[in-house]
Amino acid sequence: MTSTTRIDEAVAARYGNRYLIEEAPSKHFPDVGMASVNAMRLVGQELFLDGDPQHNLATFVTTWMEPEAQRIIAENLHRNFIDHAEYPQTAEIEQRCIRMLADLFHAPGETTGARTQGSSEAIMLGALSLKWKWRERREAAGQPVDRPNLVFGGDVHVVWEKFCRYFDVEPRIVPLQEHKYTIGPEDVEPHVDENTIGVAAVLGTTFTGHMDDVRGINDLLVELDKEKGLHVPLHVDAASGGFVWPFLYPQSQWDFRLEQVRSINVSGHKFGLVYPGIGWLVFREKSDLAEDLVFYENYLGKTDATFTLNFSTGSAMVLAQYYNLIRLGREGYTYVMEIMQQNARALAEELKSIGTFELIGEDEEQLPLVAFKLAEQREYDEFDIAWQLSAERGWMVPAYTLPPDAQQVKVMRALVKETLSREMVDTLAADIAQACQTLEKKGGAHESERKRVKTATGY
Ligand SMILES: Cc1ncc(COP(=O)(O)O)c(C=O)c1O
């Protein structure tokens, strides 16, 4: 080390961060560390390059919680959720959340469920239970178990295809159509047979925020059971809709009020209004969970039953979920959902008045969001608008094509959350109109800009 460096080190230690003039460690395990304040500043500075979550209208996931909830989270980061023996009260709080959700979803009696990392883990576990239960039924009847299939629409989240690939199940995907972005019984029926482990229907699709015809699919499955002896359970993927429909559309039947609905997943970190890292799986009855999936272990002298893909994970989000459930109750969740819906409707009206856009399914039951597209062909498209809007004002409003066979349809979608006040809605609408004007003048985005447009739907 030269004397100059030694002086620099000493001066930097006194006045600032030596990484202001050095590359961040990135390739090798560092030989020596750095002062905690320097490490904190280094990490913090890099994150400025990420998108600002408040501008992110692509995500369904919570980007704001009350200070009191943040305090619970901060004070409980050191608690490992899976240590049921050491933290029995946290385990009890998980069970309370499951009972409250079962009640919200009209479970007929005592039931069971699990806290998960998000809807993806809940879906993997729920679908595994469908597979195990199907196998039990087939084996009991002396029938082959080598060709399980699962039926769902092209409007599902990609996690359903992931489940099929990881767990060796044939996906039977009902294609969408140019003017039909959800599925119903007539779409499902041709795909169901004795090897169908279940049907998955979505409440609040990732693409347009609508629901599959859950009631129609339920009626079909009830009929198939009665008339052909085909027992096919229905799982509802209510990742987003599970915390929206009970409050905005309480009369709409999609949950355990329908007899063939045997399990439901919901993301606590979406409209459950908790930060990322929490999902829920709820069964209609205890017997809907395949017993073989429950692991009983002797943990520190106590028998513990687990039904999860992970073991260690944080408790903080479970506690934060419970905080929200008791803080808001039905009245509070209804209030929050209604203000989001009202602001989504205001945004929809303002977009319509620009004259360039048409809305997608605004008269149907829908998540609090606006899904829209250009009403007619122009020199620019939805992807160009997403790019221009982000370049001019930093808004992240995604553009994407719908799944097959509606892949020619381009859509934009803005989530309207608690943090998007009416004032911000007006600003956003004006910014979208301005981005269109810029594109009119320049005749669309440049080819090099188009290459950089992000096309994911968001989570
Ligand atoms: C309908 C649906 N299912 C499942 C998922 C996956 O959920 P998570 O991100 O909570 O794992 C999403 C996420 O957007 C979704 O919208």
Side-chain angles (χ1 to χ4, degrees), residues 17-86:
N17 185 344
R18 73 187 158 92
Y19 283 94
L20 288 172
I21 52 164
E22 280 181 20
E23 283 179 18
S26 65
K27 297 187 188 70
H28 304 290
F29 202 98
D31 290 331
V32 290
M34 62 180 83
S36 54
V37 68
N38 291 355
M40 182 182 75
R41 285 178 59 186
L42 182 81
V43 175
Q45 281 175 6
E46 289 219 36
L47 292 181
F48 284 123
L49 294 174
D50 269 355
D52 169 13
Q54 301 301 344
H55 269 115
N56 183 355
L57 308 187
T59 186
F60 291 91
V61 169
T62 302
T63 51
W64 178 83
M65 288 188 77
E66 292 180 325
E68 292 80 1
Q70 305 219 36
R71 186 165 155 191
I72 288 177
I73 292 169
E75 287 174 0
N76 289 286
L77 289 169
H78 57 329
R79 226 176 269 277
N80 183 358
F81 176 75
I82 207 69
D83 281 351
H84 292 165
E86 287 86 349

Coordinates of all heavy atoms in Angstrom, one line a residue, residues 17-86:
N17 N -17.0 8.0 2.3 CA -17.0 6.6 1.9 C -15.9 6.4 0.8 O -16.0 7.0 -0.2 CB -18.4 6.3 1.4 CG -18.6 4.9 1.1 OD1 -17.6 4.2 0.9 ND2 -19.8 4.5 0.9
R18 N -14.9 5.5 1.1 CA -13.9 5.4 0.1 C -14.5 4.8 -1.2 O -13.9 4.9 -2.3 CB -12.7 4.6 0.6 CG -12.9 3.1 0.8 CD -11.7 2.5 1.5 NE -12.0 1.3 2.2 CZ -11.9 0.1 1.6 NH1 -11.5 0.0 0.4 NH2 -12.2 -1.0 2.3
Y19 N -15.7 4.1 -1.1 CA -16.2 3.5 -2.3 C -16.9 4.6 -3.3 O -17.3 4.2 -4.3 CB -17.3 2.4 -1.9 CG -16.5 1.2 -1.6 CD1 -16.2 0.9 -0.2 CD2 -16.0 0.4 -2.6 CE1 -15.4 -0.1 0.1 CE2 -15.2 -0.7 -2.2 CZ -14.9 -1.0 -0.9 OH -14.1 -2.1 -0.6
L20 N -16.8 5.8 -2.8 CA -17.2 6.9 -3.8 C -16.3 6.9 -5.0 O -16.7 7.3 -6.1 CB -17.2 8.2 -3.1 CG -18.4 8.5 -2.0 CD1 -18.1 9.7 -1.3 CD2 -19.7 8.5 -2.7
I21 N -15.0 6.5 -4.8 CA -14.1 6.5 -5.9 C -13.6 5.1 -6.2 O -12.5 5.0 -6.9 CB -12.9 7.5 -5.6 CG1 -12.3 7.2 -4.3 CG2 -13.3 9.0 -5.7 CD1 -10.9 7.8 -4.1
E22 N -14.3 4.1 -5.8 CA -13.8 2.7 -6.1 C -15.0 1.9 -6.6 O -16.2 2.2 -6.3 CB -13.3 2.0 -4.8 CG -11.9 2.4 -4.5 CD -11.4 1.7 -3.3 OE1 -12.0 0.7 -2.9 OE2 -10.4 2.2 -2.7
E23 N -14.7 0.9 -7.3 CA -15.8 0.0 -7.8 C -16.4 -0.8 -6.6 O -15.6 -1.1 -5.7 CB -15.2 -1.1 -8.8 CG -15.0 -0.5 -10.1 CD -14.4 -1.6 -11.1 OE1 -14.5 -2.8 -10.8 OE2 -13.9 -1.2 -12.1
A24 N -17.6 -1.1 -6.7 CA -18.2 -1.9 -5.6 C -17.7 -3.3 -5.7 O -17.6 -3.8 -6.8 CB -19.8 -1.8 -5.8
P25 N -17.5 -4.0 -4.6 CA -17.1 -5.4 -4.6 C -18.2 -6.2 -5.3 O -19.4 -6.0 -5.0 CB -17.0 -5.8 -3.2 CG -17.0 -4.5 -2.4 CD -17.6 -3.5 -3.2
S26 N -17.8 -7.0 -6.3 CA -18.9 -7.7 -7.1 C -18.5 -9.0 -7.6 O -19.3 -9.9 -7.8 CB -19.4 -6.8 -8.2 OG -18.3 -6.7 -9.2
K27 N -17.2 -9.3 -7.7 CA -16.8 -10.5 -8.3 C -16.2 -11.6 -7.4 O -16.4 -12.8 -7.6 CB -15.7 -10.3 -9.4 CG -16.3 -9.4 -10.5 CD -15.3 -9.3 -11.7 CE -15.8 -8.3 -12.7 NZ -15.7 -6.9 -12.2
H28 N -15.5 -11.1 -6.3 CA -14.9 -12.1 -5.4 C -15.4 -11.8 -4.0 O -15.8 -10.7 -3.7 CB -13.4 -11.9 -5.5 CG -12.8 -12.1 -6.8 ND1 -12.8 -13.3 -7.5 CD2 -12.3 -11.2 -7.7 CE1 -12.3 -13.1 -8.7 NE2 -12.0 -11.9 -8.9
F29 N -15.3 -12.8 -3.2 CA -15.6 -12.6 -1.8 C -14.6 -11.6 -1.2 O -13.4 -11.9 -1.3 CB -15.5 -14.0 -1.0 CG -16.3 -14.0 0.2 CD1 -17.6 -14.5 0.2 CD2 -15.8 -13.4 1.4 CE1 -18.3 -14.6 1.4 CE2 -16.5 -13.4 2.6 CZ -17.8 -14.0 2.6
P30 N -15.0 -10.5 -0.7 CA -14.0 -9.4 -0.3 C -13.0 -9.9 0.8 O -13.4 -10.7 1.7 CB -14.9 -8.3 0.3 CG -16.3 -8.6 -0.1 CD -16.4 -10.1 -0.4
D31 N -11.8 -9.5 0.6 CA -10.7 -9.9 1.6 C -11.0 -9.2 2.9 O -10.8 -9.8 4.0 CB -9.3 -9.5 1.1 CG -8.9 -10.4 0.0 OD1 -9.4 -11.6 -0.1 OD2 -8.2 -9.9 -0.9
V32 N -11.3 -7.9 2.9 CA -11.6 -7.2 4.1 C -13.0 -6.5 3.9 O -13.4 -6.3 2.8 CB -10.5 -6.1 4.4 CG1 -9.2 -6.7 4.8 CG2 -10.4 -5.2 3.2
G33 N -13.5 -6.2 5.0 CA -14.9 -5.5 5.0 C -14.7 -4.0 5.0 O -13.7 -3.5 4.6
M34 N -15.8 -3.4 5.4 CA -15.8 -1.9 5.4 C -16.6 -1.5 6.6 O -17.3 -2.3 7.2 CB -16.3 -1.3 4.1 CG -17.8 -1.7 3.8 SD -18.4 -1.0 2.3 CE -17.8 -2.2 1.1
A35 N -16.6 -0.2 6.9 CA -17.3 0.3 8.1 C -18.8 0.1 7.8 O -19.2 0.2 6.6 CB -17.0 1.7 8.3
S36 N -19.6 -0.1 8.8 CA -21.1 -0.4 8.6 C -21.7 0.8 7.8 O -22.6 0.6 6.9 CB -21.7 -0.7 9.9 OG -21.5 0.4 10.8
V37 N -21.3 2.0 8.2 CA -22.0 3.1 7.5 C -21.7 3.2 6.0 O -22.5 3.5 5.2 CB -21.7 4.5 8.2 CG1 -20.2 4.8 8.1 CG2 -22.6 5.6 7.8
N38 N -20.4 2.7 5.7 CA -20.1 2.7 4.3 C -20.9 1.7 3.5 O -21.3 1.9 2.4 CB -18.6 2.4 4.1 CG -17.7 3.6 4.6 OD1 -18.2 4.6 5.0 ND2 -16.4 3.4 4.7
A39 N -21.0 0.5 4.2 CA -21.7 -0.6 3.5 C -23.2 -0.2 3.3 O -23.8 -0.4 2.2 CB -21.7 -1.9 4.4
M40 N -23.7 0.5 4.3 CA -25.1 1.0 4.2 C -25.3 2.0 3.0 O -26.2 1.9 2.2 CB -25.5 1.6 5.5 CG -27.0 2.1 5.5 SD -27.4 2.9 7.1 CE -26.6 4.5 6.9
R41 N -24.3 2.9 2.9 CA -24.4 3.9 1.8 C -24.2 3.3 0.5 O -24.9 3.7 -0.5 CB -23.4 5.0 2.1 CG -23.8 5.9 3.2 CD -22.8 7.0 3.5 NE -22.5 7.8 2.4 CZ -21.6 8.8 2.3 NH1 -20.9 9.0 3.4 NH2 -21.4 9.5 1.3
L42 N -23.3 2.3 0.4 CA -23.0 1.6 -0.9 C -24.3 1.0 -1.4 O -24.7 1.1 -2.5 CB -21.9 0.6 -0.7 CG -21.5 -0.1 -2.0 CD1 -20.6 0.7 -2.8 CD2 -20.9 -1.5 -1.6
V43 N -24.9 0.2 -0.5 CA -26.2 -0.5 -0.9 C -27.3 0.5 -1.3 O -27.9 0.4 -2.3 CB -26.7 -1.5 0.2 CG1 -28.0 -2.1 -0.2 CG2 -25.6 -2.5 0.5
G44 N -27.4 1.5 -0.4 CA -28.5 2.5 -0.6 C -28.3 3.2 -1.9 O -29.3 3.4 -2.7
Q45 N -27.1 3.6 -2.3 CA -26.9 4.3 -3.5 C -27.2 3.5 -4.7 O -27.8 4.0 -5.7 CB -25.4 4.8 -3.6 CG -25.2 6.0 -2.7 CD -23.7 6.4 -2.7 OE1 -22.9 5.9 -3.4 NE2 -23.4 7.4 -1.8
E46 N -26.9 2.2 -4.7 CA -27.2 1.4 -5.9 C -28.7 1.3 -6.1 O -29.2 1.3 -7.2 CB -26.7 0.0 -5.7 CG -25.2 0.0 -5.8 CD -24.6 -1.2 -6.5 OE1 -25.3 -1.7 -7.5 OE2 -23.6 -1.7 -6.1
L47 N -29.4 1.3 -5.0 CA -30.9 1.2 -5.2 C -31.6 2.3 -5.8 O -32.7 2.2 -6.3 CB -31.5 0.8 -3.8 CG -31.1 -0.5 -3.2 CD1 -31.8 -0.8 -1.9 CD2 -31.5 -1.6 -4.2
F48 N -30.9 3.5 -5.9 CA -31.5 4.6 -6.6 C -31.7 4.3 -8.0 O -32.5 4.9 -8.7 CB -30.6 5.9 -6.4 CG -30.7 6.5 -5.1 CD1 -29.6 6.7 -4.3 CD2 -32.0 6.9 -4.6 CE1 -29.7 7.3 -3.0 CE2 -32.1 7.5 -3.4 CZ -31.0 7.7 -2.6
L49 N -30.9 3.3 -8.5 CA -31.0 3.0 -10.0 C -32.3 2.1 -10.2 O -32.7 2.0 -11.3 CB -29.8 2.2 -10.4 CG -28.5 3.1 -10.4 CD1 -27.3 2.2 -10.8 CD2 -28.6 4.2 -11.4
D50 N -32.8 1.5 -9.2 CA -34.1 0.7 -9.3 C -35.2 1.7 -9.6 O -35.1 2.9 -9.2 CB -34.3 0.0 -8.0 CG -33.7 -1.4 -8.0 OD1 -33.2 -1.8 -9.1 OD2 -33.8 -2.1 -7.0
G51 N -36.3 1.1 -10.1 CA -37.5 1.9 -10.2 C -38.0 2.3 -8.8 O -37.8 1.6 -7.8
D52 N -38.8 3.4 -8.7 CA -39.3 3.8 -7.5 C -40.7 3.1 -7.3 O -41.6 3.3 -8.1 CB -39.6 5.4 -7.6 CG -40.4 5.9 -6.4 OD1 -40.6 5.1 -5.4 OD2 -40.8 7.0 -6.5
P53 N -40.8 2.3 -6.2 CA -42.1 1.5 -6.1 C -43.4 2.4 -6.1 O -44.4 1.9 -6.6 CB -41.9 0.9 -4.7 CG -40.4 0.8 -4.5 CD -39.9 2.0 -5.2
Q54 N -43.3 3.7 -5.7 CA -44.5 4.5 -5.8 C -44.9 4.8 -7.2 O -46.0 5.2 -7.5 CB -44.3 5.8 -5.0 CG -44.0 5.7 -3.6 CD -45.0 4.9 -2.8 OE1 -46.2 4.7 -3.2 NE2 -44.6 4.4 -1.6
H55 N -44.0 4.7 -8.1 CA -44.3 4.9 -9.6 C -44.7 3.6 -10.3 O -44.9 3.6 -11.5 CB -43.0 5.5 -10.3 CG -42.9 6.9 -10.3 ND1 -41.9 7.6 -9.7 CD2 -43.7 7.9 -10.9 CE1 -42.1 8.9 -9.9 NE2 -43.1 9.1 -10.6
N56 N -44.6 2.5 -9.5 CA -44.8 1.2 -10.2 C -46.2 0.8 -10.2 O -46.8 0.3 -9.2 CB -43.9 0.2 -9.4 CG -44.0 -1.2 -10.0 OD1 -44.7 -1.4 -11.0 ND2 -43.2 -2.1 -9.5
L57 N -46.9 1.1 -11.3 CA -48.3 0.7 -11.5 C -48.5 -0.6 -12.1 O -49.5 -1.0 -12.5 CB -49.0 1.8 -12.2 CG -48.8 3.3 -11.7 CD1 -49.7 4.2 -12.5 CD2 -49.1 3.4 -10.2
A58 N -47.3 -1.3 -12.3 CA -47.4 -2.7 -12.8 C -47.7 -3.7 -11.7 O -48.3 -4.7 -12.0 CB -46.1 -3.0 -13.5
T59 N -47.2 -3.4 -10.5 CA -47.2 -4.5 -9.5 C -48.5 -4.5 -8.7 O -49.1 -3.5 -8.4 CB -46.0 -4.3 -8.5 OG1 -46.0 -5.4 -7.6 CG2 -46.1 -3.0 -7.7
F60 N -48.9 -5.8 -8.4 CA -50.1 -6.0 -7.6 C -49.6 -5.9 -6.1 O -50.5 -5.9 -5.2 CB -50.7 -7.4 -7.8 CG -51.3 -7.5 -9.2 CD1 -50.6 -7.9 -10.3 CD2 -52.7 -7.2 -9.4 CE1 -51.2 -8.1 -11.5 CE2 -53.3 -7.3 -10.6 CZ -52.5 -7.8 -11.7
V61 N -48.3 -6.0 -5.9 CA -47.8 -6.2 -4.6 C -47.8 -4.8 -3.8 O -47.5 -3.8 -4.4 CB -46.4 -6.8 -4.6 CG1 -45.7 -6.8 -3.3 CG2 -46.6 -8.3 -5.1
T62 N -48.0 -4.9 -2.5 CA -48.1 -3.8 -1.6 C -46.8 -2.9 -1.6 O -45.7 -3.5 -1.4 CB -48.4 -4.2 -0.2 OG1 -49.6 -5.0 -0.2 CG2 -48.6 -3.1 0.8
T63 N -47.0 -1.6 -1.8 CA -45.8 -0.7 -1.7 C -45.9 0.3 -0.6 O -45.0 1.2 -0.5 CB -45.7 0.0 -3.1 OG1 -46.9 0.6 -3.4 CG2 -45.3 -0.9 -4.2
W64 N -46.9 0.2 0.2 CA -47.0 1.1 1.4 C -47.8 0.4 2.5 O -48.8 -0.2 2.3 CB -47.8 2.4 0.9 CG -47.9 3.3 2.1 CD1 -47.0 4.3 2.5 CD2 -49.1 3.4 3.0 NE1 -47.5 4.9 3.6 CE2 -48.8 4.5 3.9 CE3 -50.3 2.8 3.0 CZ2 -49.7 4.8 4.9 CZ3 -51.2 3.2 4.1 CH2 -50.9 4.2 5.0
M65 N -47.2 0.6 3.7 CA -48.0 0.2 4.9 C -47.9 1.2 6.0 O -47.0 2.1 6.0 CB -47.4 -1.2 5.5 CG -47.7 -2.4 4.6 SD -47.2 -3.9 5.4 CE -48.5 -4.2 6.6
E66 N -48.8 1.2 6.9 CA -48.9 2.2 8.0 C -47.6 2.1 8.8 O -47.0 1.0 9.0 CB -50.1 1.9 8.9 CG -51.4 2.2 8.2 CD -52.6 1.9 9.1 OE1 -52.5 1.0 9.9 OE2 -53.6 2.7 8.9
P67 N -47.2 3.2 9.4 CA -46.0 3.2 10.3 C -46.1 2.2 11.4 O -45.1 1.6 11.8 CB -46.0 4.7 10.9 CG -46.9 5.5 10.0 CD -47.8 4.6 9.3
E68 N -47.3 2.0 12.0 CA -47.4 1.0 13.1 C -47.1 -0.4 12.6 O -46.5 -1.2 13.3 CB -48.9 1.1 13.7 CG -49.2 2.4 14.4 CD -49.6 3.5 13.5 OE1 -49.6 3.4 12.2 OE2 -49.8 4.6 14.0
A69 N -47.6 -0.7 11.4 CA -47.3 -2.0 10.8 C -45.8 -2.1 10.5 O -45.2 -3.2 10.8 CB -48.1 -2.2 9.5
Q70 N -45.2 -1.1 10.0 CA -43.8 -1.1 9.8 C -43.0 -1.4 11.0 O -42.0 -2.0 11.1 CB -43.3 0.2 9.1 CG -44.1 0.6 7.9 CD -43.3 1.2 6.8 OE1 -42.1 0.8 6.7 NE2 -43.8 2.1 6.1
R71 N -43.5 -0.8 12.1 CA -42.9 -1.0 13.4 C -42.9 -2.5 13.8 O -41.9 -3.0 14.3 CB -43.5 -0.1 14.5 CG -42.8 -0.1 15.8 CD -43.3 1.0 16.6 NE -43.1 0.7 18.0 CZ -43.5 1.4 19.0 NH1 -44.3 2.5 18.8 NH2 -43.3 1.0 20.2
I72 N -44.1 -3.1 13.7 CA -44.2 -4.5 14.0 C -43.2 -5.3 13.1 O -42.5 -6.2 13.6 CB -45.6 -5.0 13.7 CG1 -46.6 -4.4 14.8 CG2 -45.7 -6.5 13.7 CD1 -48.0 -4.8 14.6
I73 N -43.1 -5.0 11.9 CA -42.2 -5.7 11.0 C -40.8 -5.5 11.5 O -40.1 -6.5 11.7 CB -42.4 -5.2 9.5 CG1 -43.8 -5.7 9.0 CG2 -41.3 -5.8 8.6 CD1 -44.2 -5.0 7.7
A74 N -40.4 -4.3 11.7 CA -39.0 -4.0 12.1 C -38.7 -4.7 13.4 O -37.5 -5.2 13.6 CB -38.8 -2.5 12.2
E75 N -39.6 -4.8 14.3 CA -39.3 -5.3 15.6 C -39.3 -6.9 15.7 O -39.0 -7.5 16.7 CB -40.3 -4.8 16.7 CG -40.1 -3.4 17.0 CD -41.1 -2.8 17.9 OE1 -42.1 -3.5 18.3 OE2 -41.0 -1.6 18.2
N76 N -39.7 -7.5 14.6 CA -39.9 -8.9 14.6 C -39.1 -9.6 13.4 O -39.4 -10.8 13.1 CB -41.3 -9.3 14.5 CG -42.0 -9.0 15.8 OD1 -41.8 -9.7 16.8 ND2 -42.8 -7.9 15.8
L77 N -38.1 -8.9 12.9 CA -37.3 -9.5 11.8 C -36.5 -10.7 12.3 O -36.0 -11.5 11.5 CB -36.5 -8.4 11.1 CG -37.3 -7.4 10.3 CD1 -36.4 -6.3 9.9 CD2 -37.9 -8.1 9.1
H78 N -36.2 -10.8 13.6 CA -35.3 -11.8 14.1 C -36.1 -13.1 14.5 O -35.5 -13.9 15.1 CB -34.5 -11.2 15.3 CG -35.4 -10.7 16.4 ND1 -36.7 -10.1 16.2 CD2 -35.2 -10.6 17.7 CE1 -37.2 -9.8 17.3 NE2 -36.3 -10.1 18.3
R79 N -37.3 -13.2 14.2 CA -38.1 -14.3 14.6 C -38.3 -15.3 13.5 O -38.9 -14.9 12.4 CB -39.5 -13.8 15.1 CG -40.0 -14.3 16.3 CD -41.3 -13.6 16.6 NE -41.1 -12.4 17.4 CZ -40.9 -12.4 18.8 NH1 -41.0 -13.5 19.4 NH2 -40.7 -11.3 19.4
N80 N -37.8 -16.5 13.7 CA -37.9 -17.5 12.6 C -39.3 -18.2 12.7 O -39.6 -18.8 13.7 CB -36.8 -18.6 12.7 CG -36.9 -19.6 11.6 OD1 -37.7 -19.5 10.7 ND2 -35.9 -20.5 11.6
F81 N -40.1 -18.0 11.6 CA -41.5 -18.5 11.7 C -41.6 -20.0 12.0 O -42.5 -20.4 12.7 CB -42.2 -18.2 10.4 CG -43.6 -18.7 10.4 CD1 -44.6 -18.1 11.1 CD2 -43.9 -19.8 9.7 CE1 -45.9 -18.6 11.2 CE2 -45.2 -20.4 9.7 CZ -46.2 -19.8 10.4
I82 N -40.7 -20.8 11.4 CA -40.8 -22.2 11.5 C -40.5 -22.8 12.9 O -40.9 -23.9 13.2 CB -39.9 -22.9 10.4 CG1 -40.5 -24.3 10.1 CG2 -38.5 -23.1 10.9 CD1 -41.8 -24.2 9.3
D83 N -39.9 -22.0 13.8 CA -39.6 -22.4 15.1 C -40.9 -22.4 16.0 O -41.0 -21.6 16.9 CB -38.6 -21.5 15.8 CG -37.2 -21.8 15.3 OD1 -37.0 -22.8 14.6 OD2 -36.2 -21.0 15.6
H84 N -41.8 -23.3 15.7 CA -43.1 -23.3 16.4 C -42.9 -23.5 17.9 O -43.7 -23.0 18.7 CB -44.0 -24.3 15.8 CG -44.4 -24.0 14.4 ND1 -45.0 -24.9 13.6 CD2 -44.4 -22.9 13.7 CE1 -45.3 -24.3 12.4 NE2 -44.9 -23.1 12.5
A85 N -41.9 -24.3 18.3 CA -41.7 -24.7 19.7 C -41.3 -23.4 20.4 O -41.8 -23.2 21.6 CB -40.7 -25.8 19.8
E86 N -40.4 -22.6 19.8 CA -39.9 -21.4 20.5 C -40.9 -20.2 20.4 O -41.0 -19.4 21.3 CB -38.6 -20.9 20.0 CG -37.4 -21.8 20.4 CD -37.3 -22.9 19.4 OE1 -38.2 -23.2 18.6 OE2 -36.2 -23.6 19.4

